[in-house]
Amino acid sequence: PDERPDSLPKYGHTPLVLGQDGDKLSKQTKASPIEDAQGPKNLFAALAFLGQDPPQEFLTRPLINHPININNQQHCTEILAWGIDNWSRNKVPADSSVAPTLADA
């Protein structure tokens, strides 16, 4: 694909994340916050929700679930780098969807 800066979109839309009841997930609708200690799983779920198909190996690495654990921080950095390197706006769903749970990731 043509990746010249003038060919990149100026803006884009992402689907709304909906709860099981069909309401958008937000502070306004009193949705539960995400768990900071689950950073790698949260990033994986977000990329999957946005159609990006991150590698399953991101979920199988042993991690200590503590929010300031250096392994989690490094793992989050690696997942974000994968997301940037492999991003495809054509894979992002056009419609709102029910959010995947961490159990689905």
Side-chain angles (χ1 to χ4, degrees):
D2 187 1
E3 294 295 323
R4 291 175 299 169
D6 58 343
S7 70
L8 297 175
K10 301 284 186 233
Y11 63 90
H13 294 279
T14 58
L16 285 175
V17 181
L18 306 177
Q20 295 295 333
D21 59 4
D23 288 339
K24 70 178 181 175
L25 293 182
S26 69
K27 287 192 265 181
Q28 180 182 15
T29 61
K30 306 209 184 321
S32 299
I34 60 173
E35 293 289 330
D36 290 342
Q38 298 293 321
K41 284 186 176 185
N42 293 337
L43 288 171
F44 183 94
L47 286 168
F49 177 77
L50 293 170
Q52 302 305 304
D53 302 319
Q56 290 293 315
E57 73 181 59
F58 286 139
L59 293 179
T60 58
R61 293 188 187 160
L63 294 171
I64 299 170
N65 289 322
H66 189 277
I68 59 170
N69 178 275
I70 191 67
N71 291 330
N72 274 356
Q73 291 173 355
Q74 290 173 344
H75 196 53
C76 287
T77 300
E78 185 178 352
I79 294 170
L80 284 173
W82 181 93
I84 291 166
D85 291 344
N86 295 280
W87 184 260
S88 173
R89 63 186 159 138
N90 295 330
K91 291 182 178 181
V92 177
D95 297 325
S96 300
S97 300
V98 173
T101 63
L102 289 179
D104 296 334

